[in-house]
Every structure is written in C-alpha cells, then in structure tokens.
Amino acid sequence: MAGPLLCRGVRAAGRRWLVLLPPMLLALLLARPAGALVEGLYCGTRDCYEVLGVSRTAGKAEIARAYRQLARRYHPDRYRPEPGDEGPGWMPQSPEEAFLLVATAYETLKDEETRKDYDYMLDHPEEYYSHYYHYYSRRLAPKVDVRVVILVSVCAISVFQFFSWWNTYDKAISYLATVPKYRIQAMEIAKQQGLLRKAKEKGRNKKSKEEIRDEEENIIKNIIKSKIDIKGGCQKPQIRDLLLFQILLAPFHLCSYIVWYCRWIYKFNIKGKEYGEEERLYIIRKSMKMSQSQFDSLEDHQKETFLKRELWIKENYEVYKEEQKEELKKKLANDPRWKRYRRWMKNEGPGRLTFVDD
C-alpha cells in the first residue's frame, strides 16, 4: 500500500507545481527594476546629465561645451590623474571607460529625439520594456534613408543591365559576321556603297594591313547591325527595358493592361467579334507559354504555320502539341547519342550497385 500511495502523492505534487509554474514565469517576466537607470540603456546606471555635469534644462551649446572639456580631460592619450578622479561613484577607474561614458552621454543628449526618450525614461521608470524598445529601435535604425538605398540599388542594377545587354548584342553581331550567309551579303553591300574601297584608300599610306582589316571588319559589323533586326535575348538594348524605367513606367503599363483587358472582354466575350491576327498570335503565344521576346525570335514562316493551322483554337493546339511530342520521340529514337544514353541507363544506370571483389 505504501508504494501506490507514494506514487499518488508524487503525481499530486507534480500537478501542483505545473499549476504554479505559469504564474511564477509571468511574475519573473514582468519583474522590473525599481530605479529608472538600467544597465545597458544609455549611460547605464549613471545619469547622463550628471556625467556631463549639466542640468536637465541645459541647452545644446552648454552640453557641447561640457563634453569638449571632459573629452579633453579624459582622452586616453592626454589623461593625467587629478585629485578627485578616483572618488567613489564619480567616474570609472580607467580613462578609456571614462572617455567612453562621456561620449555616450553626449550622444544621448545632443539629439533632440534621443534626449526626449531619455527624459521620458527618467520620469517614467515603470515603463521598462517601452524604454528598451525606443532605445534599440533608434540605435538599430539605418543611418541612411532606405529610399536612397533602394534608388541607388535600382540605378546600379540598371547600369549593369545596360552594359551586359550591349555586351551580348556585340557578341551576337560578331558571331553573325562570321556566318558566310550574312558576311557575303554585308560585303556585297559594302562594295556597292564603296565603303571597302574608301577604307583601303584612307589606309594606303598611313595604316597597316591589320588596321585596314580591322576597319573592314567594323564596316561589315555596322552593315549587319543596320540590316539585320535581332530579336529575342540578343536584341539591341533599349533604354525603356531597363529596370529603372520599368519601375517608373509600371503605373502606365498597369493602366494600359487594365484598359486592354476590358476592351478584350467587351470586344470578344460580350460582342463576340472574331479575333484578328494580332489577337490570334497572342493566344497562341500564351498557349505555348512563351515570353514576348521568345515568340518574337521565331521565324516568320513558323508564325504563318501557326496561323494556317489555327492554333488559337484549343482543340487544334492540343493536336499540334501531340504531333510535336511524337516528332520529338522519333528524333530521339534516331539520335545516336540518345541511343547510347538509353543503353547506359539500361545497363549501368541509377539503381544499380556494383561491388568489385578483390
């Protein structure tokens, strides 16, 4: 009998402790120090006014004058002990601590908002957690306006975008200048306009063969730039495509989209008009889940094929999609690299563990 009674007593005592534990934790959490000066806030347990030797009604000039005098006196490189420095409770023992305390007091009292919070803490010591919030919210607040940081970041990203796009565009032009199809056409145009002859005449007496060759290469690239409209990811960069201008024009684009969407609903859903060529291409692009730049990079004959097959109609697009899948399967079936890959997956692919016996 003693064993079960003892177990029941232990369980009852445990339940009483569980009942008393939340109020005890709440009391510890809500416990506040009796005084207004708290270690870790402002000057700690010292009064910032007493540290500088000024009254609470002192102005900025008086506070600055007192700070300069004490800073010169307790500067670690110029400090000389004086009678009264080691008095009880006046200043810390080391000049470094005294100098830091004086600087903290001045930083607290020189700013109007911080001084107002400090005076409020002295007058209302019971609002312990509020003082902590105001102190650390001002201390951890960013020194620079967040709007300025965002603006500078957006401008930096826009500049990087512009030069990156120009680099990609120049690489695309350099590649097209090596393709025989475009190079021959560009050279024919240059000969017809007499640009190559002028380049040789200019460089006959002054330029070397390498310089003439470089000038001819630049002429060919300039002709390709003027005659070929590159679309897609390598197109010529436009100022309006930069992030900065996209953000500035975002309200305009949003309003334009709302107006366009309302017109679409009214014109095609309510009045039941037929789609035009632009609307049909838009529906086809959305069905293919392609961006505008990706769709623009397609050849014109591909877009004409889409229109002939009426791919803006959902049923026709599903048939076209299945045909593309079957065509891809046939290509992969005849591709030797794909055959090697399937053989490897069958013989040595994942899911197999091979142990070599020594």
Side-chain angles (χ1 to χ4, degrees):
M1 293 296 290
L5 290 175
L6 180 61
C7 292
R8 284 198 296 272
V10 171
R11 286 197 294 270
R15 284 195 294 271
R16 285 196 296 271
W17 273 107
L18 290 175
V19 173
L20 294 175
L21 186 59
M24 292 173 64
L25 292 176
L26 183 62
L28 291 174
L29 183 62
L30 298 178
R32 297 184 177 90
L37 302 176
V38 182
E39 189 67 39
L41 297 183
Y42 304 105
C43 298
T45 56
R46 297 296 313 280
D47 190 332
C48 293
Y49 291 101
E50 293 181 0
V51 171
L52 295 180
V54 297
S55 63
R56 291 185 60 174
T57 59
K60 288 186 176 182
E62 185 179 353
I63 291 174
R65 192 184 313 112
Y67 165 71
R68 287 193 295 268
Q69 292 176 356
L70 293 174
R72 285 194 298 267
R73 179 180 177 184
Y74 289 101
H75 195 280
D77 297 335
R78 303 175 57 184
Y79 176 71
R80 296 293 182 272
E82 296 182 6
D85 286 353
E86 298 180 358
W90 202 96
M91 280 289 179
Q93 294 294 328
S94 65
E96 290 82 3
E97 295 178 358
F99 184 79
L100 181 61
L101 182 60
V102 169
T104 303
Y106 178 67
E107 291 293 329
T108 301
L109 300 181
K110 75 173 184 177
D111 183 68
E112 290 292 338
E113 297 297 328
T114 308
R115 183 178 180 180
K116 188 183 298 183
D117 291 341
Y118 183 70
D119 291 340
Y120 187 84
M121 186 188 75
L122 295 179
D123 297 333
H124 302 82
E126 69 280 357
E127 299 182 13
Y128 177 71
Y129 297 106
S130 176
H131 303 325
Y132 261 100
Y133 168 75
H134 288 294
Y135 174 76
Y136 283 105
S137 63
R138 293 192 182 279
R139 186 173 182 180
L140 301 177
K143 303 300 181 183
V144 183
D145 194 347
V146 178
R147 293 170 295 183
V148 176
V149 175
I150 294 175
L151 179 61
V152 172
S153 301
V154 170
C155 291
I157 293 173
S158 301
V159 171
F160 175 78
Q161 277 183 326
F162 186 75
F163 285 103
S164 176
W165 290 345
W166 263 112
N167 185 39
T168 305
Y169 178 70
D170 289 338
K171 288 183 178 178
I173 294 297
S174 300
Y175 169 75
L176 292 176
T178 61
V179 177
K181 174 183 176 181
Y182 302 110
R183 187 176 184 85
I184 294 173
Q185 294 179 5
M187 291 185 69
E188 291 295 332
I189 295 174
K191 289 179 181 179
Q192 292 175 5
Q193 297 179 358
L195 298 176
L196 296 180
R197 185 171 60 254
K198 291 179 181 179
K200 292 180 179 179
E201 289 176 356
K202 289 181 180 179
R204 181 178 300 169
N205 300 322
K206 298 181 180 180
K207 298 180 181 179
S208 62
K209 293 182 179 180
E210 290 77 10
E211 292 175 339
I212 296 174
R213 191 181 303 113
D214 293 339
E215 189 171 350
E216 291 177 354
E217 193 71 21
N218 291 330
I219 291 172
I220 293 173
K221 290 180 179 179
N222 290 331
I223 292 175
I224 292 176
K225 286 181 182 180
S226 61
K227 297 298 181 180
I228 295 180
D229 183 18
I230 301 177
K231 297 180 180 180
C234 298
Q235 64 185 358
K236 188 176 182 179
Q238 302 291 334
I239 296 295
R240 63 175 180 270
D241 296 331
L242 298 178
L243 177 62
L244 178 61
F245 289 90
Q246 288 293 315
I247 294 175
L248 294 177
L249 297 175
F252 172 75
H253 291 319
L254 179 60
C255 294
S256 301
Y257 176 77
I258 294 174
V259 172
W260 171 85
Y261 186 75
C262 293
R263 286 180 177 177
W264 182 284
I265 295 296
Y266 175 76
K267 189 175 180 180
F268 301 113
N269 293 8
I270 297 177
K271 299 190 72 175
K273 290 186 176 181
E274 293 186 1
Y275 295 123
E277 181 177 339
E278 184 179 352
E279 288 79 11
R280 292 171 181 176
L281 291 175
Y282 173 78
I283 297 174
I284 294 171
R285 179 173 69 84
K286 287 298 182 181
S287 300
M288 293 182 174
K289 298 179 180 180
M290 299 175 66
S291 64
Q292 185 66 50
S293 60
Q294 290 175 333
F295 195 77
D296 290 341
S297 62
L298 297 177
E299 298 291 340
D300 293 336
H301 67 86
Q302 291 179 290
K303 297 178 183 179
E304 292 175 0
T305 303
F306 297 158
L307 293 173
K308 288 179 180 179
R309 299 195 58 174
E310 299 182 351
L311 296 187
W312 65 88
I313 301 175
K314 187 176 180 180
E315 293 76 10
N316 296 344
Y317 177 73
E318 293 296 333
V319 174
Y320 171 80
K321 189 176 179 181
E322 292 298 327
E323 292 177 357
Q324 293 297 313
K325 288 183 179 180
E326 294 297 328
E327 185 177 350
L328 179 61
K329 289 181 181 178
K330 292 179 180 179
K331 288 182 179 180
L332 292 177
N334 298 325
D335 189 358
R337 291 179 296 179
W338 178 247
K339 290 181 180 179
R340 290 196 299 268
Y341 174 73
R342 286 187 298 175
R343 284 196 300 268
W344 179 82
M345 289 292 293
K346 181 179 179 181
N347 299 324
E348 304 292 339
R352 293 176 177 269
L353 295 177
T354 304
F355 296 94
V356 179
D357 297 330
D358 295 334

